[in-house]
Amino acid sequence: MRRETIVVLLLVVAVLLPMWYVALHGEPPSEQIEIDQSVTEMRPLQEIVDTPEKLAPSQVGVIVWVALFGLVAVLTAVHRFMDSAVRSNRPTDEAVADGGQVGVPWFWTDDRWVVEYRDATDAMEGIVAMGGLTILAIVFAALFTGEYLTLARTQYFGVYAMGMFVSLALLTVSYYAWFLPHVEVAERRGH
């Protein structure tokens, strides 16, 4: 494991451990208010997975931090996968040694120049992936809106929102991988 990775993991643990300790103590128990089942068939607290019905602010903080770190890890893994799957690592004729220049002259400055340029692939797989992810984002957005307009209004908000935002994030990564050129720039610095 690289040194930087270990440092980042230690920082994450240093942030989460105190929060987790406070979250374990929770809040005092409270009484649950139930809906009268003889009046309505609504089950607003019914969920896919059994979860606690009341969380302390410290417990919510731990959950949010873990979710954010998990999201960063997932996006990093997806970015690396898409970059390696779409862009090959073999050098091209346009790649030049440090100090050389490729591209058009208006791209260059005295202290910065392009050393590698690979045009976008514009492959059919990219169009299919972006089309599918766009449809998926629209479906999750419609489900989210439909859930908001129903009487229960609580059951699957998180699932639909997660699906919508993950498909939008993957859509962005797919666009980057298939439809943006790869440009590597060298820069001369004074230090």
Side-chain angles (χ1 to χ4, degrees):
M1 202 180 269
R2 293 188 346 205
R3 183 176 166 220
E4 294 86 9
T5 307
I6 293 171
V7 170
V8 168
L9 289 176
L10 287 175
L11 285 172
V12 169
V13 168
V15 167
L16 287 181
L17 275 181
M19 291 176 69
W20 194 255
Y21 175 76
V22 172
L24 285 177
H25 292 82
E27 285 188 3
S30 60
E31 190 175 321
Q32 179 180 354
I33 300 173
E34 293 189 22
I35 294 176
D36 185 0
Q37 312 251 331
S38 64
V39 177
T40 181
E41 292 294 319
M42 279 183 17
R43 305 287 184 270
L45 297 178
Q46 185 179 9
E47 298 176 3
I48 298 172
V49 179
D50 287 337
T51 57
E53 295 172 12
K54 184 175 181 184
L55 293 172
S58 55
Q59 291 169 326
V60 172
V62 170
I63 293 168
V64 167
W65 275 101
V66 168
L68 288 175
F69 286 130
L71 181 63
V72 168
V74 166
L75 288 178
T76 301
V78 167
H79 179 273
R80 287 185 180 180
F81 170 76
M82 292 300 290
D83 202 38
S84 66
V86 176
R87 302 189 203 297
S88 65
N89 290 330
R90 66 183 194 282
T92 63
D93 296 337
E94 296 171 338
V96 295
D98 193 24
Q101 297 175 336
V102 290
V104 290
W106 55 267
F107 237 31
W108 311 330
T109 67
D110 291 337
D111 295 322
R112 189 179 308 126
W113 60 93
V114 177
V115 293
E116 183 178 355
Y117 178 87
R118 293 184 194 167
D119 204 7
T121 61
D122 297 337
M124 185 55 123
E125 296 91 9
I127 293 172
V128 170
M130 289 192 65
L133 289 166
T134 302
I135 291 169
L136 197 61
I138 291 169
V139 166
F140 277 118
L143 289 170
F144 186 86
T145 304
E147 183 74 13
Y148 177 76
L149 296 175
T150 62
L151 293 176
R153 294 190 179 186
T154 60
Q155 289 186 322
Y156 303 114
F157 267 170
V159 174
Y160 299 150
M162 182 196 69
M164 182 174 59
F165 289 124
V166 166
S167 54
L168 287 173
L170 291 175
L171 187 65
T172 304
V173 171
S174 298
Y175 179 77
Y176 159 77
W178 274 293
F179 299 105
L180 286 180
H182 172 74
V183 181
E184 194 169 320
V185 178
E187 184 175 17
R188 185 179 297 114
R189 296 190 177 187
H191 55 80

